[in-house]
Amino acid sequence: MKDLLVVEGLGKTFGSKKFLQAEYAVTALRNVSFTLGKGETVGVVGESGCGKSTLARCVLDLIEPTTGSVLFDDTDLTKLDAKAKRDIRSRIQMIFQDPYSSLNGKRTIGKTLAEPLWVHEGVKYKEALPRIHAVLKEVGLPVSAADKYPHEFSGGQRQRIAIARALILEPELIIADEAVSALDVSVQAQVLLLMNSIQKEHGLSYLFITHDLGVVRNFCDRVLVMYLGSVVESGPVAELLTNPKHPYTKSLRDAAPIPDISRRQSLALLEGEIPSPANPPSGCAFHPRCPRATDICRSEAPTLQSSDDQRMFACHNPEP
Amino acid sequence: MTSPLMQVEDLSISFKINDKWCRAVNGVTFDIMPNETLCIVGESGCGKSITAMSLMKLLPDTARLGGHVRFGGQDILSLKERELEEIRGSRIAMIFQEPMTSLNPVLTVGEQIAEPLVLHKGMGWSEAKKEARNLLDLVRIPDAQKRLGQYPHELSGGMRQRVMIAIGLACRPQILIADEPTTALDVTIQAQVLALLEDIRKEQELSIVMITHDLGVVANVADRVAVMYAGDVVETGPVASIFDSPSHPYTQALLRTVPRADAAFELSPIEGQVPSIQKMPEGCRFAPRCKEETSKCNVTPKLSPGAHSVACWARGDIQ
């Protein structure tokens, strides 16, 4: 099967060189490669500063990657001119974390949903109404929502509106950046199930950015685990979480508290904190916190290797 | 049988909205025992944070309080500001979710930890600064001497929360109220802070009231649990009993909505929304979303007696 999205060697360095000031550079993303099939959900998981949101924005070319390519349906997004880029963006949509700041408070929901149709297809509001009503129904909101404003809705309902806005152009790929993180668990489950049923209905793909391994386990097919700008491990979700190869994946899994009293334990402790991307450690970025670190880890950065055709990890001393 | 350190009896908290008094907390009762961690768990708007605030009478004057919070032979709710000042930060301390907004950005870490010692213990500043150093060691901040002179913006989120804990512990309180102390932290840092709180609780024989929305955290740190929904405690009991045999339909449903990292299963969401404070249903506030609603549910159910108790008409006695 052909992949919908092929990301190769993607890197992003933020930096500046000002007059009379030392040049500084922060590498937020380092040589990230992955593929995403049609109808597939790939999760990207990691802690603050691991580059997962930068990855999402680079894929959409919202920020320009420094190196690498993003092939969407065989077209390299990084090489397109503005017009072509705009056209292809109607096929990739994004949902953000905070439904309070991602919806325009001065516009009715109907106007918000009509905008992508006007921008990409030149459809006027009145003609767009049937499609707006259809998409509202699809995300489980009443048609009357079109005449209301964002403040009249709860967080979960607003996230449904954000999903409707992403869905109205019938995209092939939706990038969800912590789309359910701000929601209460009972509402989070509603939104996840909705996203699942939309996927089945439309056959679209998700790139799902999250910090929550529980969500990954229950929602994604494959997952990339990131640490300080690099992918440290990737593979099918169940296998990767049952038998993690990279010590960071294992620590992340064991630190996630599980609501089950029989699993009560002192949550496995990872020493230290996430290093600053402006001043990354030598060798493997994880070595100062790693219980399995040896000399080679301090001097040489490991490269991604595959244990079988599905799984990859970057570690000199992988878990057994 | 040890007697409770604090008894909360029929606590109610109302706010005036559009000229109408709305009960945000609807008469909750629970005890805090010595040397235990009590977790108050619930979703947004269930009243868990204002319940915690009222334990120190920290709510604004616009809130109308009812019931009693008994602590050390006094009723906190009937104390005057000056009497409260002797308790706050000294015998009961509180830490918050976002350490960046609760620390003062223009004072050094050392000054902020020393301040309660000067105010409550009558220490001089130099003595208090020495004690502040010990407190930083207690919360396992490396390089304590250097950290004392730093400002909050120079610390990471996890370090800031450790500083908050050091301030909270400065006067050796009997109760530490922690309102979502790890919610803003990454999971590996959250695990460190939770382990730290647990160790300190054992060392100092302290009681911790932890407010959280995260059932995973509850399962890992609580001794006892109170589950809140829309201003009511709907179920309370020992942590093992709550997770092994949840009884209230809300607790049962809530446990089925949490995605777990160790297993994939069919998530079953709770249909509908938490009711708005201005339109609370009569009787059991969970009834409109409940699959086991009965004809009795238009009357508010009381918590059943016993260690594991539940407020639900569809449940018989539970012990």
Side-chain angles (χ1 to χ4, degrees):
Chain A
M1 196 176 73
K2 213 179 71 175
D3 289 318
L4 180 67
L5 184 73
V6 181
V7 171
E8 257 179 32
L10 204 63
K12 175 70 195 175
T13 302
F14 295 99
S16 89
K17 199 174 174 180
K18 284 184 193 150
F19 183 60
L20 290 184
Q21 266 183 16
E23 187 179 352
Y24 78 93
V26 175
T27 303
L29 211 58
R30 212 183 295 265
N31 197 17
V32 174
S33 303
F34 66 95
T35 61
L36 175 61
K38 206 168 157 41
E40 195 183 25
T41 301
V42 169
V44 181
V45 71
E47 297 179 281
S48 314
C50 75
K52 54 192 194 294
S53 288
T54 307
L55 174 63
R57 282 162 174 73
C58 279
V59 166
L60 244 184
D61 211 24
L62 287 177
I63 48 182
E64 198 182 326
T66 317
T67 59
S69 62
V70 179
L71 292 178
F72 178 77
D73 202 10
D74 293 334
T75 314
D76 190 344
L77 298 184
T78 58
K79 295 206 170 65
L80 294 178
D81 61 31
K83 166 85 174 64
K85 206 181 268 177
R86 182 198 265 195
D87 286 346
I88 210 155
R89 274 193 186 150
S90 70
R91 297 164 65 189
I92 312 175
Q93 291 291 309
M94 192 150 179
I95 306 171
F96 297 91
Q97 170 168 1
D98 182 2
Y100 289 81
S101 53
S102 64
L103 294 172
N104 187 337
K106 291 182 180 168
R107 272 195 201 163
T108 62
I109 305 308
K111 289 265 158 59
T112 291
L113 294 177
E115 191 180 11
L117 293 174
W118 169 246
V119 170
H120 288 285
E121 298 173 16
V123 179
K124 292 214 179 78
Y125 184 66
K126 280 216 170 115
E127 300 156 34
L129 267 177
R131 282 167 77 180
I132 290 169
H133 290 166
V135 81
L136 282 172
K137 274 187 212 150
E138 186 165 6
V139 299
L141 290 171
V143 168
S144 60
D147 299 321
K148 295 186 178 168
Y149 289 88
H151 73 263
E152 298 175 69
F153 296 92
S154 68
Q157 289 170 324
R158 285 183 210 209
Q159 206 56 303
R160 285 171 192 267
I161 295 164
I163 292 172
R165 179 176 59 184
L167 205 59
I168 199 158
L169 288 169
E170 295 173 20
E172 290 149 73
L173 170 63
I174 290 184
I175 299 174
D177 189 0
E178 300 274 14
V180 295
S181 305
L183 307 176
D184 278 316
V185 280
S186 70
V187 179
Q188 172 178 292
Q190 290 175 4
V191 173
L192 285 175
L193 287 184
L194 171 68
M195 289 178 74
N196 244 335
S197 71
I198 286 170
Q199 182 171 44
K200 286 201 186 102
E201 185 79 15
H202 299 263
L204 50 78
S205 311
Y206 289 119
L207 184 62
F208 199 84
I209 317 289
T210 181
H211 69 281
D212 186 336
L213 276 180
V215 172
V216 167
R217 183 78 161 92
N218 288 277
F219 188 72
C220 300
D221 303 312
R222 286 189 298 129
V223 61
L224 315 174
V225 182
M226 292 187 68
Y227 189 78
L228 214 68
S230 305
V231 174
V232 295
E233 185 163 8
S234 66
V237 169
E239 257 181 77
L240 182 135
L241 285 178
T242 317
N243 180 20
K245 287 287 173 200
H246 198 286
Y248 178 63
T249 312
K250 184 169 183 290
S251 314
L252 202 59
R253 181 196 68 180
D254 294 346
I258 290 167
D260 184 341
I261 198 77
S262 64
R263 299 289 304 270
R264 181 165 174 148
Q265 51 186 347
S266 67
L267 298 167
L269 283 187
L270 197 56
E271 297 285 323
E273 306 206 333
I274 302 156
S276 154
N279 186 18
S282 63
C284 171
F286 186 58
H287 87 257
R289 304 175 77 192
C290 183
R292 301 174 70 83
T294 55
D295 281 342
I296 185 170
C297 307
R298 288 174 197 101
S299 54
E300 205 175 301
T303 50
L304 274 174
Q305 48 182 309
S306 55
S307 55
D308 56 57
D309 46 331
Q310 290 275 332
R311 293 190 60 179
M312 308 269 279
F313 57 88
C315 183
H316 294 302
N317 305 303
E319 302 280 342
Chain B
M1 186 78 190
T2 46
S3 56
L5 199 55
M6 179 183 269
Q7 288 176 293
V8 178
E9 273 175 37
D10 200 25
L11 173 72
S12 66
I13 304 168
S14 310
F15 293 95
K16 204 169 201 175
I17 301 172
N18 295 338
D19 271 345
K20 207 180 123 213
W21 285 99
C22 303
R23 269 160 87 98
V25 170
N26 193 25
V28 302
T29 297
F30 58 88
D31 293 342
I32 299 164
M33 305 302 284
N35 200 11
E36 74 162 0
T37 300
L38 170 73
C39 279
I40 301 180
V41 63
E43 298 182 279
S44 312
C46 72
K48 56 190 191 298
S49 284
I50 53 171
T51 299
M53 304 269 264
S54 67
L55 302 185
M56 290 169 83
K57 209 178 172 191
L58 278 174
L59 292 171
D61 293 339
T62 52
R64 193 166 70 184
L65 295 163
H68 306 281
V69 175
R70 299 190 200 284
F71 174 70
Q74 293 171 302
D75 184 349
I76 296 224
L77 299 188
S78 62
L79 293 183
K80 299 206 165 54
E81 261 321 284
R82 181 182 297 184
E83 297 165 309
L84 287 165
E85 274 167 22
E86 286 174 18
I87 293 177
R88 287 178 189 154
S90 167
R91 295 171 64 195
I92 308 175
M94 189 156 182
I95 58 176
F96 300 91
Q97 170 171 350
E98 184 35 78
M100 195 59 215
T101 51
S102 36
L103 288 171
N104 189 333
V106 298
L107 293 180
T108 63
V109 164
E111 287 167 326
Q112 297 188 57
I113 302 176
E115 191 179 5
L117 292 166
V118 174
L119 285 178
H120 290 293
K121 301 276 172 187
M123 282 186 191
W125 276 99
S126 59
E127 192 190 351
K129 286 262 176 80
K130 269 186 212 137
E131 180 61 19
R133 214 208 108 106
N134 296 337
L135 284 158
L136 284 184
D137 287 335
L138 178 74
V139 297
R140 295 177 208 151
I141 291 187
D143 219 353
Q145 196 60 44
K146 181 180 140 208
R147 296 292 185 189
L148 280 180
Q150 290 188 321
Y151 291 90
H153 76 268
E154 299 177 78
L155 307 180
S156 68
M159 285 296 162
R160 284 182 206 138
Q161 198 55 287
R162 285 168 196 262
V163 170
M164 280 303 297
I165 294 171
I167 297 171
L169 293 174
C171 298
R172 311 271 148 155
Q174 291 164 283
I175 299 177
L176 179 71
I177 301 169
D179 189 359
E180 303 266 11
T182 59
T183 305
L185 306 177
D186 281 314
V187 282
T188 60
I189 309 299
Q190 162 171 287
Q192 291 172 358
V193 171
L194 290 176
L196 174 72
L197 281 171
E198 179 67 9
D199 290 349
I200 289 174
R201 185 185 65 73
K202 282 186 189 139
E203 261 168 52
Q204 315 249 328
E205 302 201 341
L206 171 82
S207 292
I208 296 181
V209 181
M210 174 127 27
I211 314 297
T212 180
H213 69 283
D214 187 332
L215 286 162
V217 169
V218 176
N220 278 282
V221 305
D223 297 307
R224 286 189 312 120
V225 183
V227 183
M228 287 190 74
Y229 180 80
D232 288 313
V233 169
V234 295
E235 183 164 7
T236 175
V239 64
S241 173
I242 295 277
F243 280 89
D244 286 341
S245 45
S247 175
H248 196 281
Y250 176 65
T251 317
Q252 292 175 344
L254 195 62
L255 281 165
R256 284 195 295 268
T257 64
V258 187
R260 295 167 54 149
D262 63 336
F265 62 102
E266 192 71 22
L267 295 177
S268 44
I270 306 173
E271 294 303 328
Q273 317 256 343
V274 177
S276 137
I277 183 174
Q278 289 171 269
K279 285 186 206 148
M280 281 293 174
E282 286 294 313
C284 173
R285 290 176 166 188
F286 186 59
R289 300 174 79 187
C290 185
K291 289 187 174 141
E292 301 179 55
E293 191 185 355
T294 69
S295 55
K296 282 185 180 171
C297 295
N298 53 3
V299 179
T300 306
K302 288 256 184 299
L303 278 171
S304 61
H308 182 170
S309 57
V310 57
C312 178
W313 291 112
R315 297 287 178 270
D317 312 1
I318 144 159
Q319 277 292 5

